[in-house]
Amino acid sequence: MALSNDNLKGVTLALLSSGFIGASFIIKKKGLRKAAAASGVRAGVGGFSYLLEPLWWVGMITMILGEVANFVAYAFAPAVLVTPLGALSIIVSAVLAHFILKERLHALGILGCVMCIAGSLIIVVHAPQEREITSVREIWHMATHPAFLLYVASVVVLVFVLIFRFAPCYGQSNVLIYTGICSLMGSLSVMSVKALGTSLKLTFEGTNQLVYPETWFFMLVVVTCVLTQMNYLNKALDTFNTAIVSPIYYVMFTTFTILASVIMFKDWDGQSIGSVTSEICGFIVVLSGTILLHITKDHDKNPSRGGYTQISPSLTARLNGEMLKHIEDGEMSSNGEVVVNFKRPDSY
């Protein structure tokens, strides 16, 4: 299927966004290393010297340019086309890290890159055409359709349950809690970003949409959803390994976003079963490649390669319990060391 002009613009912007964002990770990491070498304090342990490093700011500006390009892409192309292409930023960062940061890209990582590219091509070829919208009120009509209102209500209820019921109890032990909140709110933020982006596009074309309260409402939703999304994404990254959080978040966020877009914008209406099936297959291929890439990122930390194994919390608790028992049975020596008195059993 030939791409329309709008879809072509959206794909181009999405690819530029992936390039900028993927490169920004490498530039910022180089800046962080340079700042840490100069000050002796890494950002991970509370250092802020990177704020004085020009290279880090170059990376930050590059990331902002990428996010702006991604924002504009949603104004031209459907979310089912733009969102999965975000996986290409992982390829850019992985390849650049291999050559610039000397972070080895393994054979499985190369396979993951190929899978992401192949899946993205399948999605682009079979993507639906962007429907023509002439006013933000058209988008408002879509957003207030009973089917999408049911989706929004379900998301809000699930987010509240996760935040107030499950997060206090399981947030620190189950990665799906924080990533679930991010992904659900992210799907609403993308729908609002698309609505806002379309409104601004129409305004720049000469049809002012800023006079409608719906435009400002979508802007408020964008701010609210993005702040919530970023808050819980930071909590997830601070609590769990990035190699675990990133693929799970990408899978859940992309899935919910495509679902929301299909419900609100009816992206698959008018498409053949073959095209829809091809898009889903392409999406699955991209997800598989993304997970494979992230798994191989942590490959060198595998215990079999000379690293270390993290002790599980339950094992740590048992070891601490045994140590406390020995300490209670022992006594303190004059130099502050614990002398443990082991009792010999009477019989075996």
Side-chain angles (χ1 to χ4, degrees):
M1 182 184 293
L3 288 176
S4 66
N5 288 334
D6 279 351
N7 272 16
L8 184 59
K9 292 176 183 176
V11 169
T12 303
L13 288 167
L15 293 176
L16 286 173
S17 171
S18 295
F20 279 125
I21 292 174
S24 72
F25 293 147
I26 307 305
I27 298 172
K28 287 201 297 181
K29 190 162 186 176
K30 289 280 287 185
L32 288 171
R33 287 182 175 181
K34 190 174 179 182
S39 66
V41 182
R42 295 174 54 218
V45 293
F48 293 97
S49 59
Y50 62 88
L51 295 175
L52 303 176
E53 175 54 51
L55 190 59
W56 184 87
W57 283 106
V58 171
M60 178 58 68
I61 293 171
T62 305
M63 174 172 280
I64 293 172
L65 290 174
E67 295 295 348
V68 170
N70 192 55
F71 174 86
V72 179
Y74 282 110
F76 290 97
V80 295
L81 173 58
V82 174
T83 306
L85 294 180
L88 298 179
S89 63
I90 302 172
I91 297 178
V92 175
S93 65
V95 172
L96 291 179
H98 178 78
F99 291 105
I100 297 176
L101 301 179
K102 307 305 178 185
E103 295 179 358
R104 185 183 172 193
L105 185 61
H106 300 277
L108 286 177
I110 296 173
L111 176 60
C113 291
V114 173
M115 290 174 67
C116 287
I117 294 173
S120 298
L121 287 174
I122 295 172
I123 293 171
V124 169
V125 170
H126 296 279
Q129 301 296 328
E130 175 74 347
R131 63 186 299 176
E132 185 177 353
I133 297 175
T134 58
S135 171
V136 69
R137 291 190 168 181
E138 289 185 39
I139 305 178
W140 180 258
H141 178 71
M142 299 175 194
T144 54
H145 190 275
F148 188 69
L149 287 178
L150 178 61
Y151 176 80
V152 173
S154 302
V155 167
V156 171
V157 170
L158 281 172
V159 167
F160 270 86
V161 169
L162 288 173
I163 290 177
F164 296 107
R165 174 66 180 87
F166 290 100
C169 301
Y170 308 107
Q172 298 295 313
S173 59
N174 192 326
V175 68
L176 295 178
I177 305 299
Y178 291 150
T179 52
I181 296 171
C182 298
S183 303
L184 289 166
M185 294 301 289
S187 68
L188 297 184
S189 70
V190 169
M191 297 303 101
S192 301
V193 162
K194 183 168 179 61
L196 182 60
T198 304
S199 301
L200 294 176
K201 172 191 168 187
L202 292 172
T203 299
F204 292 139
E205 290 176 349
T207 308
N208 188 8
Q209 302 297 307
L210 300 180
V211 296
Y212 298 115
E214 290 86 349
T215 300
W216 299 100
F217 176 81
F218 284 127
M219 185 179 294
L220 177 63
V221 174
V222 168
V223 173
T224 303
C225 291
V226 168
L227 288 177
T228 305
Q229 187 181 354
M230 291 300 99
N231 177 42
Y232 284 94
L233 181 58
N234 287 333
K235 288 187 177 184
L237 291 172
D238 186 56
T239 307
F240 304 98
N241 192 313
T242 305
I244 297 174
V245 173
S246 295
I248 292 176
Y249 173 62
Y250 177 79
V251 169
M252 295 178 69
F253 168 71
T254 308
T255 302
F256 286 129
T257 297
I258 290 177
L259 177 61
S261 183
V262 168
I263 295 173
M264 179 173 172
F265 291 99
K266 310 292 190 296
D267 290 327
W268 286 344
D269 282 9
Q271 281 200 293
S272 65
I273 296 177
S275 294
V276 173
T277 304
S278 297
E279 288 175 51
I280 294 174
C281 290
F283 175 52
I284 293 173
V285 172
V286 171
L287 293 184
S288 302
T290 302
I291 293 172
L292 197 58
L293 261 174
H294 278 288
I295 289 175
T296 55
K297 275 185 179 180
D298 214 37
H299 191 66
D300 285 335
K301 297 179 184 179
N302 192 293
S304 63
R305 291 182 171 265
Y308 59 89
T309 305
Q310 184 178 0
I311 299 176
S312 66
S314 58
L315 179 57
T316 304
R318 290 198 299 271
L319 291 176
N320 288 341
E322 292 296 324
M323 184 176 291
L324 286 174
K325 285 176 62 180
H326 288 312
I327 292 175
E328 288 173 357
D329 291 338
E331 57 185 17
M332 192 72 68
S333 67
S334 58
N335 61 357
E337 296 178 348
V338 175
V339 179
V340 180
N341 296 325
F342 291 98
K343 295 180 180 179
R344 181 184 179 89
D346 296 332
S347 61
Y348 293 95

